[in-house]
Amino acid sequence: MSKKDSPAPDLETLRHSASHVLAAAVMEMFPDAKLGIGPAIEGGFYYDFMLPRTLIPEDLVLIEKKMQHLIKQNLKFEKYEEPIDQAEEFLKKTEQILKVELVADLKKEGEQKVSFYKTGDFVDLCRGPHVESTKELKAVKLTHISGSYWRGDSDRVQLQRIYGVAFASKEELAKWEEQMREAAKRDHRELGKKLDLFSFHPEAPGAAFWHPRGKFVYDALLDFIKQENEKRGYQEIGTPIVLSSDLWHQSGHYENFKENMYFTEFEEREFAVKPMNCPGGCLLFAERAPSYRELPIKNAEFGIVHRLELSGVLHGLLRVREFRQDDAHVYCTPEQLEDEIVKIIEYTTDVYKHFGFDDYELFLATRPPKKAIGSEEVWERSTKALENAMKKLKLKWGVKEGEGAFYGPKIEFNVKDAIGRNWQLGTCQIDFNLPERFDLNYIAPDGAKHRPVMIHRAIIGSFERFLAVLIEHTSGDLPLDLQPEVARIVPVAGEFLEAAEKFARELKAKKVRIGVDRSADSLSKKIRNGELMKIPFLIIVGEKEAKSGKLTVRERGKKEQQSLALTELTKKLS
Amino acid sequence: MSKKDSPAPDLETLRHSASHVLAAAVMEMFPDAKLGIGPAIEGGFYYDFMLPRTLIPEDLVLIEKKMQHLIKQNLKFEKYEEPIDQAEEFLKKTEQILKVELVADLKKEGEQKVSFYKTGDFVDLCRGPHVESTKELKAVKLTHISGSYWRGDSDRVQLQRIYGVAFASKEELAKWEEQMREAAKRDHRELGKKLDLFSFHPEAPGAAFWHPRGKFVYDALLDFIKQENEKRGYQEIGTPIVLSSDLWHQSGHYENFKENMYFTEFEEREFAVKPMNCPGGCLLFAERAPSYRELPIKNAEFGIVHRLELSGVLHGLLRVREFRQDDAHVYCTPEQLEDEIVKIIEYTTDVYKHFGFDDYELFLATRPPKKAIGSEEVWERSTKALENAMKKLKLKWGVKEGEGAFYGPKIEFNVKDAIGRNWQLGTCQIDFNLPERFDLNYIAPDGAKHRPVMIHRAIIGSFERFLAVLIEHTSGDLPLDLQPEVARIVPVAGEFLEAAEKFARELKAKKVRIGVDRSADSLSKKIRNGELMKIPFLIIVGEKEAKSGKLTVRERGKKEQQSLALTELTKKLS
């Protein structure tokens, strides 16, 4: 999909051009720098360098200044081509040893010519395209430095990678910066610590330790989905975590997902820690062929799955190695398929609205170009069914070409959070392949065995990821039903602790999730702590309250305090 | 612990003697048989043989007849000793090649003499002791055949193992046989299938697949323990499943429990699938040193753990590789220790009584002779605390010498089931070691850091095992709160299905777990199916019921049917 001819440069071209300016600036600073590669990426760009010393954050300021200086000169991006041997010689002469390697590879592939782009004094081996001139780079900013390996291979030389962002206008950059500031305040990793919800330890990279408060939130979310599932005719199953490689061969995961799986061995048999719940669910379904009267069968499984992710890309609860999914597999007849997809879409968006995600988008992810199982015809049929269901609901959708799962196309659900960021959460995937591979059958009215269609669906997706998004969306002011401590009693001084405990017992008996501040802190510190922990209601108990039985209540986000009798308060809180 | 001098032969001696008679009978049948070993085991005995052909079950009848014939002859067990070289020669001459190997080993160990036991014509290399004569073997029975490897080594020759039981009297044997018949009827593996609770698949040996009905039972048990935990001041945490080997080194599991763990590798780091929840829990506790005012801190974790078990010893839900524990770790001051143990014992026995296990025993398991961490003094202190708590509750207990965990002594809780079998379920273990290894601290009133004591406790133990025991104890008639289908509506014929569905909706709205038989089966078949599934209440809906709104109710285990209005029924069922 070349975007060369569009009148305004698209963001990808803009960002790629910014990476050249970055490289030019770095070459000014370190004339001996060896250039790696410098692509545009989602949200920005980077460039990899081999440098005589390690960069420090202050370097970014200097490099950015040099970039601005180059940009102001309004330098043209000039393309020229050269025979490949000549190009190789040039790169050898300029000692760009990494580029020499790239050219050598192109030569091996049979390339005759290569192109360069020249910007001022800076020349880079590059296919392009680029913007016309540096003046189009109106809003560029460097963000951070990280380590990387040449060609992503940990046996090769380590490089330094500089990341940046680029936008079409200063306004868009300003908006992005504001979003970043907002995001930093809402960072779920920080809030997770502050609210005492979860932690991470180096002994388990990418796997959360849930503290009591966080475990409450996690389980409250789980219970909510369980209840919704039950209302909608789902039943729950549970399948093992460690399953033999035979199964993963049968399902196709071994061939298509192996690099993301943990393997282990016992009694000369290879096992994998499951990265998905589906194959186990198929084994269970395959135990008997149900009657068509029982279909659709909707088996939910809140399985814990493990997927390998490089340490470098792990990020709080957003990118983890261990997570729980609100998985379900719906087995139905081909005739029931569209209706079931409609129901799943409605269910999914209902849940998002329940959690305050009123703004969501749907994407249709189609057959991946490389790894995919099953015939073209089956892929087409499945894709059609997803489209029809969305049409029936009069929904609009985008298309993610080639981003389907290896076993079938899917609808991806994205929500927009309070500061405008998009998060992919749920999916609804059609699968004609696993039923075939696991010989799944139902007994049709004709008494014969028929193949059911299988729909994989997850609404919140990963519990871990969903909670990260929800925490950032709400800045930690979680919905009341997910609040581990709906109210906290704050005694004015130690002598009122007993009265506070008495009130707490009464509220607890009414199923109010109540806490008591038993610390020796001052009243103002206790109130501040309660506010930092984002407790929805702080209840002050002093002499007046202990005597009158009327409690002073501070509701989060409201200025006035209220004076309420215990029965009124109980009503308010439950 | 020699039991030579006891007047009546103890069971172990009796069983060992029975194994000699078994070997004598087999030698009569196969004069070329090579003898392996033949020890007494819990509940009986076995003998391993190298035989010219594979045994069939019918052989057991023949061999048992020969044994009875030998027993009737009232043969003496005569011991004699020989210099080891002479013994070796004798065994070589009689071509007992396996015994020759055993004697060669004894020689290497420096033995000078060995003993033989002679019974009639049969002679066996044996340390003894044995009964005086075969007439003491009043109640012997062969049970089954299995394969085994010479010296348990799968690279050595495969042998055939014959198992048997032996008791002091015919009455005891009869009692055992009755128990076996009862046990077979109650076998949880059979009931698991019949009641559609769970299944196993070769892709995951020792890990259950929970069907919707079984998952309900499982979760209902989980919810029950969660509620009880909350009442008693426990809070819940969750820690990762895959943790790096560093952690297992730190905890001592690597050294003492390695052979039971699954290992895997990623990014050149070794990880293990957790076999226990404690080390993860310690990492979490170690994040901050709580104030003494917060102690005891009771962290419950319903973690899923994996422990390797040889395929050969797996047995339904009773012996598995993957299971969930109702684990909790209580961190307290040394002063609080005894009180906390008292509370745990009371809690544990309360739960057993709740599930109808009124008959239970306590055992004190002490320091293991080989694998154990921590000083003698610490072991003594811990053992004392457990004893004191049991004394305080005026409980009696048995002692299991050397059967403690590698990190501390424990109380084991055994329950007796409806047919008199004993099952070990819960444990309460004291641990002075992990707090040391993980540098756990609390802030004492003096402002300084002090070491808390850690109590590991599980009440139901493994969910899988507990459910197996409960299913066998109740013959599948689970307590009402664990019943996935408390009542089932059975329409007399297809035309009443609609009325049945209407009643079902109304009962469901009242939170009754209700099913409807939608099959095309005859009424009597439907009723039989409901009875086989052990549904507590079957509700018949025909013309009379549909018109009158009064339902005909068959309560499980009662002969008379009742006629009840829907409101009466709802009250009865909820």
Side-chain angles (χ1 to χ4, degrees), chain B residues 416-465:
Chain B
K416 190 169 267 185
D417 75 8
I419 58 170
R421 293 172 302 175
N422 279 306
W423 302 99
Q424 203 246 300
L425 295 179
T427 54
C428 170
Q429 323 187 358
I430 299 190
D431 188 346
F432 283 92
N433 292 304
L434 285 185
E436 201 63 38
R437 285 178 173 238
F438 283 89
D439 191 21
L440 306 185
N441 294 294
Y442 68 94
I443 307 297
D446 62 4
K449 284 181 175 179
H450 286 251
R451 201 66 87 207
V453 190
M454 184 174 174
I455 312 173
H456 306 238
R457 76 110 185 92
I459 293 177
I460 65 167
S462 141
F463 276 72
E464 280 71 6
R465 183 178 165 82

Side-chain angles (χ1 to χ4, degrees), chain B residues 221-229 302 326 347 351 460:
Chain B
L221 178 61
L222 179 61
D223 287 343
F224 171 76
I225 300 288
K226 279 190 184 220
Q227 278 166 29
E228 288 299 314
N229 271 350
F302 297 96
D326 71 323
Y347 184 2
V351 169
I460 65 167

Side-chain angles (χ1 to χ4, degrees), chain A residues 163-190:
Chain A
Y163 284 93
V165 292
F167 295 91
S169 69
K170 288 218 164 81
E171 292 69 35
E172 278 170 71
L173 174 61
K175 207 177 113 193
W176 175 84
E177 286 177 320
E178 174 57 27
Q179 202 181 57
M180 285 304 104
R181 273 192 295 275
E182 259 306 308
K185 272 191 263 169
R186 292 160 179 266
D187 188 324
H188 75 279
R189 294 166 302 178
E190 290 308 312

Side-chain angles (χ1 to χ4, degrees), chain A residues 131-150:
Chain A
V131 296
E132 293 277 316
S133 94
T134 55
K135 78 164 178 205
E136 293 179 54
L137 303 174
K138 291 176 190 124
V140 176
K141 191 181 162 58
L142 299 183
T143 56
H144 62 289
I145 312 161
S146 84
S148 69
Y149 290 103
W150 173 233

